[in-house]
Amino acid sequence: MKQLKRRAGLRSIVYLCTFIVVVYVFVFMSTPYIMYQPGSASEVAPMIKVENGDPAEQGTFMMTTVSASYANVALLVANMFNSNAEIARKDTRLGDKSEAEYAAEQVYYMNSSQSLAVQAAYHAAGIPYKDITDYLYVFSVPNQSNKSQFQPGDKILNVDGNPVTDPAALSTLLSARSIGDKVKVTLQRADKKLEEEVTLVEVKDKGAAAGRPGLGVVIGAVQRVEPQEPGKSVSFVNTDVGGPSAGLMFTMEIYNRLTPGDLTKGHRVAGTGTIDADGVVGPIGGVKHKIVAADRAGAEVFFVPVKNYDEAKAKADKIGTAMKLVPVSTLTEALDYMKKLPVKP
């Protein structure tokens, strides 16, 4: 009897261990793959504040996203027969970046797209403006000795009490110091302000024979756009997404509020595309997933960059959407289309 109980106990342990291994393999073990699927089509109006903006808007402008997940085995199996899922290797997305560095880069691109959208909208609405460098943003920390002080996504606010809002100002400030000196750096990380004591390291510029003192981080400058007319300022709330592809739709919404009347004409309008200050619309990735997201959200019109049109049209035909695809290469083309669109009854 005791032997039977011992065997039953051993079987239970084996079953439990097997269950734990299976759960680990399917849920917790990472794979070298990433999965792309349709994301969301979100109204951009709640993301943007326009001072004294025209509130008339019966329809809506929507930005579209791609859902990207670092895939475990369970996710790969669950989506094996999902026609809207796309599996790719992580390194095609990350390159030589870590996941944290890639995420920080995408946040920077989103911030840049917002600034460019404001510039493009001001330009189209005839409102003069000026660019101001707001803060320095940390992309990555290649120097191992300073990895405990900095993280990708940090904002550098000042060094030794001196505001540094552009790379040139930082370089000039640090040129008076020596490699190995310590400086106090004020950072903003998420909602927290941090004070870090940082040892300056040798930084070599491309083509330079001698090194110079630096923080050991890769940085970029984030711009702020200010109107030169009072009462026309534009600001953004947190969009919780990254990348530059919402530029066109941000611009459409801002322009609509800066000018009288309702540009939406009561329609649900989605789209994608980068934007520059002159209103040039650039291509993006993942358009086939964005088409599905827009269709699911009931969009009637979808603005797509000209270079992405063929891929978008193929997916639109495949899912049988009634949504009108409108290829554009400039903001002016998108605005002209909306101005000619009849008001929805």
Side-chain angles (χ1 to χ4, degrees):
M1 182 66 71
K2 288 183 179 179
Q3 191 173 9
L4 290 174
K5 287 183 178 179
R6 191 178 298 116
R7 286 178 180 174
L10 286 173
R11 270 197 301 269
S12 297
I13 292 172
V14 170
Y15 291 153
L16 179 61
C17 290
T18 302
F19 175 76
I20 291 172
V21 169
V22 169
V23 169
Y24 172 78
V25 169
F26 271 77
V27 179
F28 297 105
M29 189 175 76
S30 63
T31 73
Y33 299 103
I34 189 167
M35 180 166 292
Y36 298 103
Q37 298 186 71
S40 62
S42 305
E43 297 183 11
V44 297
M47 305 175 189
I48 302 170
K49 295 181 180 178
V50 179
E51 188 180 10
N52 299 316
D54 185 346
E57 192 168 277
Q58 297 301 310
T60 184
F61 289 114
M62 296 181 286
M63 60 176 280
T64 50
T65 65
V66 177
S67 171
S69 306
Y70 296 109
N72 56 22
V73 175
L75 188 62
L76 292 173
V77 172
N79 288 277
M80 191 175 297
F81 302 105
N82 182 354
S83 62
N84 290 320
E86 177 187 4
I87 299 170
R89 291 190 60 86
K90 276 185 188 178
D91 51 19
T92 62
R93 174 184 174 96
L94 299 178
D96 59 356
K97 306 179 190 70
S98 68
E99 291 179 15
E101 289 169 345
Y102 180 83
E105 183 181 70
Q106 294 306 299
V107 171
Y108 177 82
Y109 287 152
M110 171 58 79
N111 289 335
S112 296
S113 76
Q114 291 172 349
S115 294
L116 290 168
V118 175
Q119 293 178 52
Y122 281 155
H123 182 77
I127 297 171
Y129 64 88
K130 58 182 177 180
D131 296 332
I132 299 172
T133 305
D134 201 12
Y135 58 86
L136 295 179
Y137 184 85
V138 177
F139 285 109
S140 63
V141 191
N143 192 286
Q144 293 294 322
S145 63
N146 288 343
K147 277 191 177 291
S148 61
Q149 282 89 18
F150 295 101
Q151 290 182 12
D154 285 348
K155 298 177 183 179
I156 300 176
L157 303 180
N158 64 66
V159 176
D160 280 343
N162 300 291
V164 283
T165 57
D166 63 78
L170 177 61
S171 181
T172 299
L173 177 64
L174 297 183
S175 65
R177 311 294 203 275
S178 300
I179 296 168
D181 286 354
K182 294 183 182 297
V183 295
K184 289 184 179 179
V185 181
T186 303
L187 303 171
Q188 183 171 327
R189 183 175 300 158
D191 296 327
K192 294 181 180 179
K193 265 191 181 179
L194 305 173
E195 297 282 345
E196 297 285 355
E197 187 174 71
V198 178
T199 301
L200 297 180
V201 298
E202 183 181 26
V203 176
K204 279 195 174 182
D205 297 319
K206 190 174 182 180
R212 58 179 176 83
L215 299 177
V217 295
V218 177
I219 56 175
V222 174
Q223 303 289 324
R224 185 175 77 250
V225 185
E226 289 189 355
Q228 293 181 307
E229 289 183 12
K232 298 289 185 181
S233 65
V234 177
S235 59
F236 287 81
V237 300
N238 189 4
T239 59
D240 291 325
V241 294
S245 64
L248 172 62
M249 302 316 293
F250 283 151
T251 307
M252 299 286 283
E253 178 64 33
I254 296 167
Y255 177 86
N256 192 28
R257 296 217 227 142
L258 288 172
T259 56
D262 180 11
L263 191 65
T264 71
K265 309 284 186 67
H267 296 274
R268 293 180 64 79
V269 182
T272 188
T274 64
I275 198 81
D276 70 11
D278 294 322
V280 176
V281 177
I284 50 80
V287 71
K288 60 186 177 183
H289 301 299
K290 296 177 180 181
I291 288 292
V292 176
D295 180 65
R296 289 173 177 174
E300 302 155 60
V301 176
F302 189 95
F303 287 113
V304 58
V306 168
K307 291 184 178 179
N308 295 123
Y309 179 75
D310 289 343
E311 182 185 356
K313 181 67 164 57
K315 188 64 176 181
D317 289 344
K318 186 174 181 179
I319 65 174
T321 182
M323 185 169 57
K324 172 69 174 176
L325 265 60
V326 182
V328 293
S329 56
T330 66
L331 172 63
T332 300
E333 291 173 1
L335 294 178
D336 286 346
Y337 181 88
M338 292 305 302
K339 289 172 182 177
K340 294 174 183 175
L341 197 65
V343 175
K344 188 175 180 180

